[in-house]
Amino acid sequence: MSFDLVLFGGTGDLAWRKLMPALFQAFRHGSLPEGGRIIGVARDDLSDDAYRELIQSRFKAVEGAKRPSPEEFKEFASMLHYLRMDLSKPHDYARLAELLKARNADTVVMYLATAPALFTAVVEQIAAASLNTPNTRMVLEKPLGHDLKSNRAINDAVQRVLSENQIFRIDHYLGKPSVQNLFAMRFGNALFEPIWRREHVANIQITIAEDLGVEKRGSFYDQTGALRDMVQNHALQLVCAIGMEPPINSHADAIRDEKLKVLRSLKPWTAEEIGLHAVRGQYATGTAYGERVVGYREEPGVDAESKTETFVALRTEIANWRWAGVPIYIRTGKRLASRDARIEVNFRPAPHAIFRLPAGNANKLVINLQPKDGLELHLLAQAQDKRQKSGVRVTPPLAPVQLDLDFDKRFGAERVGAYERLLLDVIDGRLNLFVRRDEQEEAWRWVEPLLDAWSSDGTPRPYAAGNWGPSASSAMIARDGFAWGEEQ
């Protein structure tokens, strides 16, 4: 199958940091279809060879095992081409149309790795150049819009020129191997399903923590914030994966129908709920990697009086028969104590204790997303009490133990990265791991009361870089008698 992948923003950060390494890994693994062409599109004045040299230089920043040898890159580079385009000029789209029609590939993928504000204009120009053919597929990066209204405007513009099954709204968390195994664990095994419900689950915690600051994305991030950047998409997709009912089959719409039900079941926000169950913070000067780092407002490109949040902690519930009354805690932030993304499913204690139990939550399932990738099952086992005397009968103590499945160690080189998986799915036309329009709108609808409240609210709570966020986050979860994983 021949394909053309047109990468709008072909010299941008996302292209060289994520997309090109993923495409190379697919090429190295032999999973990228033969007869493919990758066309970088940007305003830079580059030839094909100059573009290949640029991409090769960027690969030096890729971790060693994923870095191509000179021979590998030479072979991969034969697929790389470049077209200088000003995305505001119709004539440049006509040049793109000539380039694509001369080859007439079986599939044409348009990947919009540009600023979201350009999406509508690019889509309209693609249609004006008659590039919206039945074999065209379009990938839209997040955040898709700034709120519900702008999200609808972008989707309306795209759906005027392409059908829903040609639109791939990407959320790279859905391509993570650990998230794939969450679906496999739930729906490929009978072990957990009977206890995956309110009678057995005490609470669910989702953490997406970054130890880095905003790096060179200060101006972009200051217009976005943690709620839009991480919660509206990544975190809510994880809530769906945890909370959804088993789909009737593995088809894309069957899966997305069940995810939509979860989003529609999330407890709505009221002014009282926002005051009690929503915490926003902003990192201040602190320590990271043993060095002093600046606060958010001192970062390049950030307003010195910025009220943008770099940390969010929320408490919500899925108001349905399976999950009623089970609190779900979400937190995400930058410049936190460590880079750590995980889901913790904390189970209720045994209803009648006949052993001496250790303090803290004994039974939980931890789904590690990054940097580890795997599952941990925390249990209790009987420990040897050296104080026990012969002839004296005492209640034996229990000690915490865990079963640890590391997917990287188990599957090794067979592992496929998130963007690699998703790019191959786009080329093959598989929509299972992409977000449908009604899902996305429902997610925006749920976060919008928070956006409205925080737009008129005061400054986010400060927290020192290198910590786990404002103390109000711990107080929020403590009101229910629980604690975050690292505090247990």
Side-chain angles (χ1 to χ4, degrees):
M1 180 190 74
S2 62
F3 73 90
D4 281 337
L5 172 57
V6 182
L7 186 53
F8 291 86
T11 59
D13 180 72
L14 180 66
W16 68 260
R17 191 167 49 89
K18 296 290 186 182
L19 302 181
M20 283 298 180
L23 288 165
F24 170 71
Q25 290 304 313
F27 171 81
R28 172 184 273 177
H29 295 155
S31 52
L32 196 63
E34 294 183 5
R37 181 170 61 166
I38 302 166
I39 305 170
V41 167
R43 298 184 68 169
D44 307 76
D45 191 7
L46 299 172
S47 65
D48 285 353
D49 287 339
Y51 184 60
R52 291 163 184 156
E53 290 176 8
L54 173 67
I55 297 302
Q56 186 174 23
S57 69
R58 299 297 193 187
F59 269 109
K60 295 177 183 177
V62 176
E63 60 182 279
K66 295 183 178 180
R67 198 176 301 158
S69 66
E71 294 76 19
E72 285 178 316
F73 185 81
K74 183 178 180 181
E75 192 174 352
F76 173 68
S78 65
M79 302 178 67
L80 300 182
H81 302 268
Y82 183 79
L83 180 66
R84 183 182 182 279
M85 283 184 65
D86 183 332
L87 298 184
S88 65
K89 294 183 178 179
H91 173 71
D92 285 354
Y93 290 87
R95 292 171 52 233
L96 175 62
E98 290 176 10
L99 182 64
L100 295 176
K101 290 176 182 177
R103 186 163 179 266
N104 196 27
D106 297 327
T107 299
V108 176
V109 176
M110 306 279 191
Y111 198 120
L112 272 59
T114 65
L118 297 175
F119 285 0
T120 298
V122 171
V123 168
E124 290 172 350
Q125 292 291 349
I126 285 172
S130 300
L131 289 171
N132 55 327
T133 64
N135 67 336
T136 299
R137 294 168 188 153
M138 182 169 291
V139 184
L140 301 174
E141 267 286 348
K142 65 93 180 172
L144 198 60
H146 198 68
D147 53 18
L148 180 59
K149 181 179 179 181
S150 58
N151 173 262
R152 284 175 168 166
I154 293 172
N155 276 317
D156 286 344
V158 178
Q159 289 195 311
R160 279 194 291 269
V161 301
L162 295 171
S163 62
E164 178 65 30
N165 64 4
Q166 293 177 280
I167 304 168
F168 293 72
R169 300 172 189 85
I170 195 167
D171 186 328
H172 75 270
Y173 263 63
L174 291 177
K176 284 183 175 292
S178 47
V179 177
Q180 296 303 294
N181 274 294
L182 171 57
F183 286 109
M185 180 197 73
R186 287 203 57 199
F187 307 131
N189 300 280
L191 181 63
F192 289 104
E193 183 58 28
I195 59 172
W196 210 256
R197 55 195 316 109
R198 59 187 171 82
E199 291 89 350
H200 301 281
V201 176
N203 68 82
I204 297 169
Q205 301 179 17
I206 297 174
T207 295
I208 307 174
E210 300 178 74
D211 54 6
L212 297 175
V214 293
E215 302 303 290
K216 298 177 181 179
R217 300 170 67 235
S219 57
F220 163 78
Y221 195 88
D222 209 35
Q223 302 298 316
T224 306
L227 186 66
R228 290 184 176 94
D229 191 42
M230 300 298 289
V231 176
Q232 182 272 333
N233 37 70
H234 301 328
L236 288 187
Q237 286 296 319
L238 295 179
V239 170
C240 289
I242 283 288
M244 64 187 282
E245 294 295 321
I248 58 172
N249 54 42
S250 61
H251 293 164
D253 279 332
I255 293 170
R256 298 191 292 185
D257 285 346
E258 298 303 332
K259 288 162 57 185
L260 179 62
K261 291 176 185 177
V262 173
L263 293 168
R264 287 176 172 169
S265 300
L266 288 175
K267 193 173 181 179
W269 292 105
T270 64
E272 181 182 9
E273 291 281 339
I274 292 174
L276 286 172
H277 299 146
V279 177
R280 63 196 296 248
Q282 186 185 90
Y283 67 84
T285 304
T287 302
Y289 302 109
E291 299 181 358
R292 202 73 173 161
V293 294
V294 300
Y296 175 72
R297 294 182 180 183
E298 287 78 52
E299 296 279 16
V302 174
D303 186 342
E305 301 296 325
S306 176
K307 296 182 179 180
T308 299
E309 77 283 350
T310 62
F311 175 92
V312 173
L314 306 173
R315 180 199 187 278
T316 188
E317 296 178 17
I318 300 173
N320 64 14
W321 194 274
R322 180 187 289 264
W323 295 112
V326 177
I328 299 174
Y329 305 103
I330 300 169
R331 65 172 172 174
T332 183
K334 291 189 175 295
R335 282 291 186 217
L336 297 180
S338 67
R339 177 174 177 259
D340 184 15
R342 65 183 184 272
I343 303 168
E344 293 187 12
V345 181
N346 292 294
F347 294 98
R348 298 186 185 278
H352 177 63
I354 62 172
F355 298 97
R356 284 187 282 144
L357 303 178
N361 187 41
N363 297 152
K364 65 180 176 181
L365 176 69
V366 180
I367 300 108
N368 290 307
L369 306 175
Q370 66 182 29
K372 291 179 63 178
D373 178 11
L375 302 174
E376 298 172 15
L377 184 59
H378 293 245
L379 305 167
L380 291 174
Q382 187 167 328
Q384 180 64 42
D385 190 346
K386 297 179 180 179
R387 298 169 298 173
Q388 184 172 338
K389 297 179 180 180
S390 177
V392 179
R393 305 182 71 180
V394 297
T395 304
L398 297 185
V401 295
Q402 70 183 58
L403 304 176
D404 193 346
L405 173 58
D406 187 319
F407 288 132
D408 281 329
K409 291 180 180 177
R410 170 59 182 85
F411 297 107
E414 301 172 36
R415 307 294 279 159
V416 175
Y419 272 106
E420 180 182 350
R421 167 68 63 89
L422 294 172
L423 285 165
L424 291 173
D425 280 359
V426 176
I427 294 169
D428 288 341
R430 293 191 294 267
L431 285 157
N432 298 51
L433 302 180
F434 295 85
V435 182
R436 202 168 59 191
R437 174 175 180 161
D438 49 5
E439 278 185 83
Q440 203 169 62
E441 288 188 2
E442 201 61 46
W444 276 115
R445 186 177 291 110
W446 186 74
V447 302
E448 196 152 71
L450 291 167
L451 294 172
D452 292 341
W454 290 351
S455 67
S456 58
D457 197 6
T459 305
R461 300 170 187 265
Y463 63 95
N467 290 336
W468 278 107
S471 58
S473 168
S474 297
M476 178 191 72
I477 191 170
R479 282 194 291 270
D480 292 331
F482 303 122
W484 295 109
E486 75 280 355
E487 298 171 347
Q488 294 175 11

